[in-house]
């Protein structure tokens, strides 16, 4: 065994250790997010905020004073937003996962700190993997998965750093990240190896990196879309005089208004759509260099194009009267489903020119 080979194997072991360590810290963050939601469910302030949802004076009324055991707490009325879908109902944003509870908010902050730590550890694992193979760590599904989850968490942390109201996303994000990493280390793991000649190109860095970033942002938009559908149904039931279940009320009352969730999902999907277009174009240029043709309707190419069409339909639906709101949201979820199949389904079940790396 040469010195270089021994060094690469050592770096690969370091990468594996860091990935498992990141999973451990993500698990701690998961429990901290759970604690935030649990304490928020018991918050009197959170329940008062929910009551404001249907209050006629919610638009411009004064702050609400809530008597607590330790004194008086003042709850500022949430900022009112208008639903994007057809309808004239104005609904304020919920108070967040912590529900206005001080202890719940503390656990939420701890969860974010743990998420930052896990992100840095996982990023170190991705970098160590890249050093062990002396290339970009995107040569197989295992490497793509660990990089994808790292970028997805990075997108979430960037939004938090920009003071966006997305802390509600934390529990859902970390849950799926743990699942993603669990599948990566148990099912998809592939030992460090070199790439086939067709992949030795600077287009690997351009095409695959943008695909990973697009997927991470599409994922964030999909979570927002799913929660929008639940919150919109909740608001509709309240508007019709219905009484949602206790669990649904405790959970949904703390989320942003359906209008905010709808707007959030639309903005992130619209923002990344041009980059997805560039990803497909970059892939075509790379195919021309590697295989002598720009487009050959390979399964991966075909599903990338289907995904592009689906998101284009979603953006068009958002601008079309009668298709805003829930109908557009369904199209967005179908589009993200196409992206998921393009990655998992095509790679595992369909053979083509992109099957060079197995899993």
């Amino acid at each position: 065994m040469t010195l270089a080979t021994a060094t690469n194997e050592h770096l690969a072991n370091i990468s594996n250790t860091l990935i498992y360590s990141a999973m451990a810290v993500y698990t701690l963050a998961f429990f901290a997010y759970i604690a935030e939601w649990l304490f928020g469910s018991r918050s009197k302030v959170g329940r008062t905020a929910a009551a404001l949802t249907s209050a006629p004076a919610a638009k411009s009324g004064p702050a609400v004073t809530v008597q607590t055991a330790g004194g008086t707490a003042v709850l500022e009325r949430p900022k009112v937003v208008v639903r994007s879908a057809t309808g004239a109902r104005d609904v304020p944003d919920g108070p967040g996962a912590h529900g206005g509870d001080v202890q719940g908010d503390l656990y939420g902050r701890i969860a974010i700190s743990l998420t930052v730590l896990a992100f840095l550890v996982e990023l170190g694992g991705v970098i160590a993997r890249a050093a062990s193979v002396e290339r970009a760590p995107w040569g197989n599904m295992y490497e793509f998965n660990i990089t994808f989850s790292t970028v997805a968490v990075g997108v979430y942390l960037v939004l938090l750093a920009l003071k966006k109201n997305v802390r509600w996303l934390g529990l859902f994000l970390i849950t799926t990240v743990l699942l993603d990493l669990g599948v990566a280390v148990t099912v998809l793991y592939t030992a460090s190896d070199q790439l086939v000649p067709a992949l030795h190109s600077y287009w690997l860095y351009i095409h695959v990196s943008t695909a990973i970033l697009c997927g991470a942002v599409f994922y964030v938009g999909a979570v927002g879309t799913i929660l929008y559908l639940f919150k919109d149904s909740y608001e509709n039931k309240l508007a019709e005089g219905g009484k949602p279940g206790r669990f649904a009320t405790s959970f949904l009352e703390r989320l942003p208004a359906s209008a905010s969730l709808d707007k959030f999902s639309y903005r992130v999907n619209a923002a990344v759509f041009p980059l997805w277009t560039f990803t497909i174009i970059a892939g075509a240029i790379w195919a021309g260099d590697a295989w002598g043709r720009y487009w050959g309707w390979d399964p991966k190419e075909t599903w990338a194009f289907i995904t592009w069409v689906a998101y284009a339909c979603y953006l068009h639906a958002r601008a079309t009267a009668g298709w805003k709101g829930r109908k557009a949201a369904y199209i967005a979820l179908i589009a993200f489903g196409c992206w998921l199949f393009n990655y998992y389904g095509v790679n595992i079940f369909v053979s083509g020119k992109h099957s060079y790396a197995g899993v």
Side-chain angles (χ1 to χ4, degrees):
M1 180 183 294
T2 65
L3 178 61
T5 302
T7 301
N8 290 344
E9 288 187 0
H10 180 63
L11 288 171
N13 291 332
I14 291 176
S15 172
N16 295 339
T17 301
L18 289 174
I19 295 300
Y20 278 105
S21 299
M23 292 176 65
V25 182
Y26 278 132
T27 301
L28 295 177
F30 170 80
F31 285 115
Y33 282 117
I34 288 289
E36 178 185 22
W37 281 93
L38 289 177
F39 279 99
S41 68
R42 305 181 343 183
S43 171
K44 293 181 180 180
V45 176
R47 289 197 295 271
T48 303
L52 296 177
T53 299
S54 57
K59 261 189 160 184
S60 57
V64 176
T65 301
V66 180
Q67 296 294 331
T68 62
T72 302
V74 177
L75 171 67
E76 295 294 336
R77 290 185 181 275
K79 181 181 178 181
V80 174
V81 295
V82 181
R83 299 176 73 243
S84 299
T86 304
R89 187 169 73 242
D90 293 346
V91 179
D93 285 337
H98 56 79
D101 182 85
V102 175
Q103 196 166 4
D105 181 64
L106 174 62
Y107 278 109
R109 294 178 183 275
I110 292 174
I112 292 173
S113 299
L114 289 170
T115 302
V116 173
L117 176 59
F119 166 76
L120 294 175
V121 174
E122 187 181 9
L123 179 62
V126 172
I127 294 174
R129 177 75 177 197
S132 71
V133 295
E134 301 178 350
R135 57 169 170 78
W138 310 318
N140 50 60
M141 289 184 69
Y142 168 74
E143 294 174 355
F144 192 100
N145 267 40
I146 62 175
T147 305
F148 171 79
S149 59
T150 304
V151 174
V153 175
V155 170
Y156 169 65
L157 295 177
V158 167
L159 291 174
L160 286 176
L162 294 175
K163 307 298 183 182
K164 302 299 182 180
N165 178 24
V166 294
R167 205 162 101 180
W168 47 268
L169 182 63
L171 176 60
F172 311 99
L173 173 67
I174 298 307
T175 300
T176 50
V177 164
L178 282 171
L179 291 173
D180 176 78
L181 291 176
V183 171
V185 300
T186 57
V187 179
L188 303 176
Y189 181 77
T190 303
S192 300
D193 199 1
Q194 295 304 309
L195 297 174
V196 296
L199 296 183
H200 285 288
S201 170
Y202 61 88
W203 283 106
L204 172 68
Y205 297 90
I206 300 173
H207 172 64
V208 183
S209 63
T210 55
I212 292 173
L213 178 58
C214 289
V217 178
F218 283 148
Y219 162 76
V220 171
V223 173
T225 300
I226 292 172
L227 294 179
Y228 156 73
L229 291 172
F230 280 106
K231 188 62 182 279
D232 187 63
S233 296
Y234 172 76
E235 292 176 2
N236 286 334
K237 192 166 186 177
L238 287 178
E240 294 169 358
K243 186 177 181 181
R246 183 176 178 181
F247 175 79
T249 299
S250 173
F251 171 71
L252 295 172
E253 70 182 7
R254 287 175 278 160
L255 291 176
S258 63
S260 297
L261 292 170
D262 186 36
K263 186 184 297 182
F264 169 78
S265 301
Y266 169 67
R267 285 179 173 177
V268 296
N269 285 327
V272 80
F273 181 73
L275 187 60
W276 181 247
T277 305
F278 171 78
T279 300
I280 296 176
I281 295 173
I285 297 174
W286 188 11
D289 290 344
W291 300 318
R293 69 4 170 224
Y294 294 101
W295 194 267
W297 295 105
D298 181 76
K300 180 73 72 172
E301 297 169 347
T302 302
W303 276 96
F305 179 68
I306 291 173
T307 302
W308 184 90
V309 171
Y311 274 107
C313 290
Y314 164 69
L315 296 177
H316 178 71
R318 286 280 313 193
T320 304
W323 278 89
K324 294 181 179 180
R326 299 185 69 87
K327 291 181 180 179
Y330 293 137
I331 298 176
L333 292 182
I334 292 173
F336 184 67
C338 291
W339 188 91
L340 285 178
F341 183 79
N342 184 37
Y343 176 54
Y344 288 100
V346 172
N347 282 21
I348 295 175
F349 302 112
V350 183
S351 296
K353 284 185 173 292
H354 289 77
S355 301
Y356 38 71
V359 297

